[in-house]
Amino acid sequence: MKTRILGKTGWSISEIGLGCWQLGNDFGPVEDKQAIAVLDAASEQGISFFDTADVYGAGLSEERIGRWLASSTLAPKIATKVGRDAALYPDGYTKEKIKQSLQASAKRLGVEIINLAQLHCVPREVLFAGDILAWMEDLQQEGVIEHFGASVEMLDEARFCCQSDKLVSLQMLFNIFRQDAVEEVFPLVEQQNIGVIVRLPLASGLLSGKMHHGYQFNEQDHRSYNKDGAAFHVGETFNGIPFETGVVLIDELKARLTSNHNVLDVALRWILDQPQVSTIIAGASQPSQVIRNAQASDLPVLNDELHTMLKDFYQTNVRQHIRGGI
Ligand SMILES: NC(=O)c1ccc[n+]([C@@H]2O[C@H](COP(=O)([O-])OP(=O)(O)OC[C@H]3O[C@@H](n4cnc5c(N)ncnc54)[C@H](OP(=O)(O)O)[C@@H]3O)[C@@H](O)[C@H]2O)c1
């Protein structure tokens, strides 16, 4: 597993990380034993960066990571998120309440101090008011968190966050079906030495290539109840693309790939080919998926011809289908 530096933290972390939303049962039920197996598989693959949030399974994802950490000799960096629990979202934000949420996360994780606390897609007006970033700086000074970053939905929010001197990372929706950040945000993060943490690298699994028309999702799975954005931002489920359209696009893309390429490898390697990316937090509900995704670190860089094809395909075929804005 190759490593990269996470912005101003100076931490060397695995370029493939682990997304732990799945461990909160938000992609359908995952038993305790399976959750621990996912975390074990990640550490065995050299994955040293896990992403979670206080709200994933109402604390279950953090608790499971905490239990796993307590029995492990390894110390991966844990990034959690704050800002979407009922005490805060959508308009109850105060510094004290954020501190309490972070302290509750630290307790569930069983850590003295949180490695990286990310603002969790807080409403635009709250972010743009600016106080919340200043509060995160204060909480860092107080020793509640080592570092802070922000997970954002929109590119203008990402650009706004780059104005903060102390912000170390931006977590963004980014994949071969959502490419605009390359030109709209990456030059700025490079200038500010901010690490990019990529979420939805597989567009909620669409880009694994395994999904087809009529594919069934568990009723507890956000890909069932949020496929059109009924519960939260539509971009977080299938990248904002209507599922049936996504399946058609994958078939079109497969037809353009040569036999020595498959969609999943191309999707992960394309992200790694962007030097501004620090890590890809690929979500996994099975240990086998973790192992498969970790292999992307060993793949060769994609050639220019393939990069050009993927850029054209995105611009011409995909971009128009993204709902919820970019
Ligand atoms: N607002 C935010 O800050 C925010 C929002 C969304 C996500 N995130 C974070 O980002 C992480 C990644 O995003 P995501 O999990 O939503 O999307 P993703 O990584 O694009 O997709 C994950 C899903 O893809 C499928 N998959 C993964 N690896 C596979 C493989 N090798 N073969 C076949 N299928 C595979 C699995 O589906 P099945 O489970 O159906 O097998 C898995 O649940 C999350 O876990 C979470 O930590 C943050």
Side-chain angles (χ1 to χ4, degrees):
M1 173 64 66
K2 296 190 186 70
T3 58
R4 297 186 183 197
I5 301 297
L6 182 68
K8 292 188 267 285
T9 64
W11 297 336
S12 173
I13 58 168
S14 55
E15 62 183 13
I16 303 292
L18 180 69
C20 298
W21 190 7
Q22 284 72 4
L23 307 191
N25 295 350
D26 299 302
F27 286 67
V30 170
E31 297 292 321
D32 268 355
K33 211 172 141 191
Q34 189 177 336
I36 297 302
V38 164
L39 295 165
D40 280 342
S43 64
E44 281 157 19
Q45 295 303 309
I47 291 177
S48 60
F49 187 83
F50 298 175
D51 175 81
T52 183
D54 56 355
V55 290
Y56 293 168
L60 180 64
S61 173
E62 287 183 333
E63 266 170 45
R64 284 171 160 171
I65 294 169
R67 260 182 272 148
W68 180 85
L69 282 174
S71 65
S72 172
T73 53
L74 300 169
K77 296 295 184 192
I78 311 294
T80 192
K81 302 189 208 78
V82 63
R84 298 290 289 207
D85 72 276
L88 296 165
Y89 183 83
D91 56 6
Y93 295 91
T94 65
K95 186 166 104 180
E96 193 48 39
K97 283 200 267 178
I98 290 180
K99 184 175 178 176
Q100 284 166 8
S101 289
L102 288 168
Q103 286 170 332
S105 286
K107 197 167 171 202
R108 283 189 290 271
L109 290 167
V111 297
E112 292 281 307
I113 183 166
I114 288 174
N115 297 141
L116 176 64
Q118 304 162 101
L119 291 175
H120 195 173
C121 299
V122 298
R124 296 169 66 73
E125 58 280 11
V126 174
L127 183 69
F128 289 149
D131 296 349
I132 202 161
L133 288 166
W135 296 339
M136 296 304 275
E137 281 193 35
D138 292 347
L139 294 171
Q140 183 183 21
Q141 290 287 323
E142 290 176 34
V144 180
I145 56 180
E146 272 182 76
H147 292 287
F148 70 91
S151 178
V152 293
E153 312 274 13
M154 298 293 130
L155 297 181
D156 63 342
E157 296 167 357
R159 286 193 298 270
F160 177 82
C161 289
C162 291
Q163 294 171 21
S164 160
D165 287 342
K166 297 277 163 43
L167 181 123
V168 297
S169 62
L170 272 174
Q171 187 182 127
M172 302 176 63
L173 289 161
F174 183 64
N175 55 54
I176 53 172
F177 281 6
R178 186 181 283 250
Q179 301 190 8
D180 299 59
V182 172
E183 281 162 22
E184 303 274 327
V185 179
F186 286 2
L188 197 53
V189 297
E190 193 162 353
Q191 204 181 314
Q192 305 284 90
N193 192 18
I194 290 170
V196 173
I197 298 170
V198 171
R199 73 172 182 272
L200 270 82
L202 298 177
S204 312
L206 257 181
L207 294 168
S208 70
K210 72 178 174 188
M211 293 171 180
H212 49 76
H213 292 293
Y215 198 91
Q216 291 299 309
F217 298 97
N218 186 285
E219 61 182 16
Q220 281 181 43
D221 189 329
H222 72 98
R223 294 169 297 183
S224 168
Y225 64 79
N226 195 54
K227 63 182 183 351
D228 298 314
F232 48 83
H233 192 266
V234 68
E236 304 296 355
T237 304
F238 301 125
N239 197 42
I241 297 172
F243 178 72
E244 296 297 330
T245 307
V247 170
V248 172
L249 290 170
I250 295 291
D251 284 344
E252 286 173 15
L253 179 60
K254 280 179 180 168
R256 293 183 191 214
L257 294 174
T258 51
S259 57
N260 55 341
H261 281 121
N262 67 70
V263 181
L264 184 141
D265 286 343
V266 166
L268 294 178
R269 186 62 242 181
W270 179 85
I271 299 170
L272 291 177
D273 286 354
Q274 320 296 327
Q276 297 82 0
V277 168
S278 295
T279 188
I280 299 177
I281 46 166
S285 55
Q286 306 280 344
S288 57
Q289 294 173 347
V290 180
I291 295 165
R292 180 75 178 76
N293 299 343
Q295 289 167 3
S297 181
D298 293 328
L299 293 171
V301 167
L302 305 181
N303 63 35
D304 291 348
E305 195 186 339
L306 191 43
H307 270 282
T308 303
M309 186 279 277
L310 291 169
K311 188 173 176 180
D312 290 349
F313 186 77
Y314 170 65
Q315 290 294 348
T316 312
N317 298 47
V318 180
R319 196 174 186 279
Q320 63 202 292
H321 297 294
I322 297 176
R323 296 169 297 176
I326 292 177

